[in-house]
Amino acid sequence: ATSRNIIGPPQQSPLKGLCIYVVEDDKLTLQLLTHILRRDGADVKSFLSVSEALQALDHQQNEVPQQKQRPNIILSDIS
């Protein structure tokens, strides 16, 4: 059984409102990381390669300022 705090307001996630880019070439790992981060409130954009992530960053440079959401965090594996 899971213990939950049923008294008081729910805790706000520290990831809420953050834009996180996840770059991972292993599809299953990418899906897992994306799921966990979204569950915890982050706005996640997932990429299977560095080139995809760089294209997304480049595309954002050309968007109108009101629509830009640059990543607060880029999470990538080293290899």
Side-chain angles (χ1 to χ4, degrees):
T2 306
S3 174
R4 293 184 180 213
N5 180 6
I6 58 173
I7 300 174
Q11 298 295 319
Q12 184 174 354
S13 168
L15 299 180
K16 185 162 181 68
L18 290 180
C19 178
I20 301 176
Y21 278 19
V22 179
V23 184
E24 172 58 61
D25 60 351
D26 180 78
K27 192 172 185 177
L28 185 59
T29 303
L30 180 64
Q31 290 172 340
L32 178 63
L33 289 170
T34 299
H35 172 77
I36 291 169
L37 294 168
R38 283 186 178 148
R39 180 198 65 197
D40 289 345
D43 175 23
V44 180
K45 295 186 179 16
S46 306
F47 305 97
L48 285 167
S49 69
V50 171
S51 61
E52 287 180 11
L54 290 174
Q55 283 179 333
L57 283 170
D58 187 47
H59 178 72
Q60 281 189 337
Q61 297 294 340
N62 299 323
E63 290 183 7
V64 292
Q66 296 83 1
Q67 295 176 348
K68 284 186 181 183
Q69 186 177 11
R70 298 184 67 196
N72 301 101
I73 299 169
I74 297 176
L75 178 63
S76 177
D77 65 357
I78 294 175
S79 59

